[in-house]
């Protein structure tokens, strides 16, 4: 049994427009994930000055709200005037200095920290198992962080969306990113000494809320 569909010229144009819109949205999501991976993985950040400039220029066109447009402009101006220096300084202060306390407390980017109060727990096993289902090979020699690291998860999400592996993208987000997004965003927001990452964090929080509405049942 089969169904024959009869489409008018207008119907076909509407379907093509819808398909183009869907493709554009997916491309924007891919770019957002790549943008964030470059800001949450040091191995990527240190070599991304020109790429970040290009990404920000494009993403300003897909800003989710007026505040995002302002934050993108702040990041853009910093790159134009001072390059990556302040980004790297803030990255180190937020994510790699382990001994801060109070309003200088480090921000943990590992799922196990939020679910199990440790690093490298069962959460890492779950993240690895999902990522291994995908078609892409993630270069763990280039990326030094483990699969439960938020930056690594952003890289995996990018590849899943690029490859059309939407079920895996949904599983990875719901299982690994969603449970830690509030903790990470709140921790970064509390660090008043890192104004550039405050901009990044506001953009990230809005984007993850949108992804949550798409990917979390």
């Amino acid at each position: 049994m089969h169904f024959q569909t009869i489409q008018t010229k207008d119907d076909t144009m509407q379907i093509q427009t819808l398909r183009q819109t869907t493709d554009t949205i997916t491309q924007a999501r891919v770019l957002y994930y790549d943008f964030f991976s470059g800001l949450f993985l040091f191995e990527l950040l240190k070599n991304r000055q020109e790429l970040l400039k290009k990404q920000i220029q494009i993403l300003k066109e897909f800003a989710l709200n007026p505040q995002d447009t302002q934050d993108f402009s702040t990041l853009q101006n910093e790159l134009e005037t001072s390059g990556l220096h302040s980004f790297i300084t803030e990255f180190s202060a937020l994510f790699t200095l382990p001994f801060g306390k109070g309003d200088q407390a480090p921000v943990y980017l590992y799922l196990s920290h939020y679910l199990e109060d440790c690093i490298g727990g069962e959460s890492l096993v779950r993240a690895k198992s999902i990522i291994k289902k995908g078609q892409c090979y993630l270069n763990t020699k280039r990326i030094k962080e483990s699969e439960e690291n938020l930056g690594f998860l952003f890289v995996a999400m990018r590849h899943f969306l690029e490859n059309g592996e939407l079920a895996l993208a949904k599983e990875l987000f719901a299982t690994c990113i969603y449970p830690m997004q509030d903790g990470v965003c709140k921790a970064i927001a509390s660090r008043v000494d890192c104004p550039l990452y405050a901009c990044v964090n506001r953009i990230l929080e809005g984007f993850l809320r949108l992804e949550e509405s798409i990917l979390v049942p």
Side-chain angles (χ1 to χ4, degrees):
M1 180 182 295
H2 69 277
F3 295 92
Q4 182 178 10
T5 58
I6 302 175
Q7 296 176 348
T8 67
K9 182 178 180 181
D10 288 343
D11 291 334
T12 302
M13 290 178 63
Q14 287 177 353
I15 291 171
Q16 289 175 343
T17 300
L18 178 61
R19 183 178 296 115
Q20 290 169 356
T21 301
T22 302
D23 289 344
T24 299
I25 291 172
T26 300
Q27 290 168 8
R29 292 170 67 200
V30 166
L31 183 55
Y32 264 108
Y33 277 114
D34 193 58
F35 169 70
F36 290 123
S37 70
L39 291 163
F40 284 87
L41 287 170
F42 184 75
E43 292 84 6
L44 301 183
L45 174 62
K46 64 185 180 181
N47 298 314
R48 279 222 166 182
Q49 181 169 322
E50 295 307 314
L51 180 57
L52 277 174
K53 288 180 183 179
K54 294 177 182 178
Q55 289 178 332
I56 289 171
Q57 185 176 1
I58 296 170
L59 287 174
K60 283 176 70 175
E61 301 299 319
F62 294 94
L64 302 178
N65 56 65
Q67 178 63 57
D68 283 0
T69 303
Q70 296 177 27
D71 287 332
F72 277 126
S73 294
T74 299
L75 300 176
Q76 191 173 38
N77 291 337
E78 180 65 28
L79 286 168
E80 293 292 344
T81 57
S82 303
L84 287 173
H85 175 74
S86 294
F87 286 89
I88 291 173
T89 298
E90 290 191 16
F91 182 98
S92 298
L94 284 169
F95 307 125
T96 64
L97 298 179
F99 303 114
K101 296 182 179 180
D103 60 2
Q104 301 292 315
V107 178
Y108 293 97
L109 298 177
Y110 303 93
L111 180 60
S112 294
H113 170 77
Y114 295 95
L115 295 185
E116 304 166 64
D117 198 26
C118 68
I119 302 296
E122 288 298 317
S123 298
L124 174 58
V125 177
R126 288 197 294 272
K128 283 184 175 182
S129 68
I130 297 170
I131 291 170
K132 286 180 178 178
K133 297 176 187 178
Q135 300 176 12
C136 63
Y137 169 74
L138 300 181
N139 191 340
T140 54
K141 291 183 179 180
R142 183 183 175 201
I143 300 175
K144 304 301 182 183
E145 293 289 352
S146 68
E147 290 88 343
E148 68 169 339
N149 176 275
L150 186 61
F152 197 110
L153 295 171
F154 289 154
V155 174
M157 285 293 294
R158 171 204 161 183
H159 285 290
F160 285 159
L161 291 174
E162 279 184 323
N163 294 335
E165 298 173 297
L166 303 184
L168 287 178
K170 184 174 183 178
E171 183 181 5
L172 188 68
F173 187 93
T175 303
C176 299
I177 296 177
Y178 176 66
M180 65 191 296
Q181 67 185 45
D182 284 348
V184 171
C185 289
K186 288 177 181 177
I188 297 174
S190 70
R191 293 291 299 271
V192 297
D193 58 320
C194 297
L196 291 176
Y197 270 84
C199 294
V200 173
N201 190 51
R202 284 190 290 267
I203 298 167
L204 174 65
E205 190 168 17
F207 174 70
L208 292 180
R209 292 292 178 219
L210 180 60
E211 288 292 278
E212 179 184 334
S213 70
I214 297 171
L215 298 172
V216 178

